[in-house]
Amino acid sequence: MTTRLVSAGFLAVALVVLAQAFMIPDSGGYQAVGPRAFPLLVGIGMAVVAVIGVAQAFRAPVSSEGESEDEGIHWRPVLLLIGTLALYATLLVPVGYWQATTLFFLAVARVLGSRKLVRDLVVGLLLALATYLLFDRVLGITLPPGLIRLAI
């Protein structure tokens, strides 16, 4: 039952995203891609995933107790991930994007069962730095530099 509710809720959110995307005025200028293109792409992707999720949720076999066989939600990792995400959002500006993202990656890997600390730290750092450099230096989108500013 929980899977069905979550799937239906995700579908509802996808429909809201699509409805809001269509409310964005089309620029009508010389640009081939207007301001509503990315929100539409995200909304369509969400809707496709949601429809697949709803179809799978309602197709899942139901046991004699009325619950489907895949209903075992493991609440501890879910709550730990939510707490980790909240901590990440809190630390993002004061600590800095690439530092907080590295720690976030490491924490999520630990919650999901990885015990290779050095590997997770290196991968998290490389992904965070690559993302930071792409957005901050290449695209010109300022991300919080934080405690340690990059000299690159």
Side-chain angles (χ1 to χ4, degrees):
M1 186 63 160
T2 306
T3 307
R4 292 176 179 176
L5 290 175
V6 169
S7 300
F10 192 68
L11 181 59
V13 170
L15 293 175
V16 168
V17 168
L18 281 172
Q20 292 295 316
F22 280 111
M23 295 176 119
I24 297 173
D26 198 12
S27 62
Y30 295 105
Q31 296 176 344
V33 178
R36 82 165 68 149
F38 187 71
L40 276 175
L41 183 65
V42 170
I44 290 169
M46 287 177 66
V48 168
V49 170
V51 167
I52 292 169
V54 168
Q56 287 180 347
F58 282 94
R59 196 174 46 128
V62 178
S63 66
S64 61
E65 291 86 30
E67 294 290 322
S68 68
E69 295 174 6
D70 63 348
E71 284 295 323
I73 296 177
H74 303 280
W75 286 106
R76 185 174 186 273
V78 170
L79 295 175
L80 284 172
L81 288 173
I82 291 171
T84 303
L85 185 60
L87 184 63
Y88 174 66
T90 303
L91 294 177
L92 186 61
V93 173
V95 173
Y97 174 81
W98 67 270
Q99 299 97 325
T101 302
T102 301
L103 294 174
F104 178 67
F105 184 90
L106 183 65
V108 169
R110 298 285 291 183
V111 168
L112 296 178
S114 176
R115 296 295 173 244
K116 299 186 187 246
L117 181 67
V118 174
R119 181 200 62 189
D120 296 339
L121 186 63
V122 169
V123 170
L125 179 63
L126 290 175
L127 288 173
L129 285 175
T131 306
Y132 179 80
L133 292 173
L134 174 70
F135 277 86
D136 197 65
R137 301 300 200 275
V138 177
L139 299 176
I141 299 171
T142 306
L143 296 173
L147 303 171
I148 303 171
R149 298 181 191 278
L150 294 176
I152 303 171

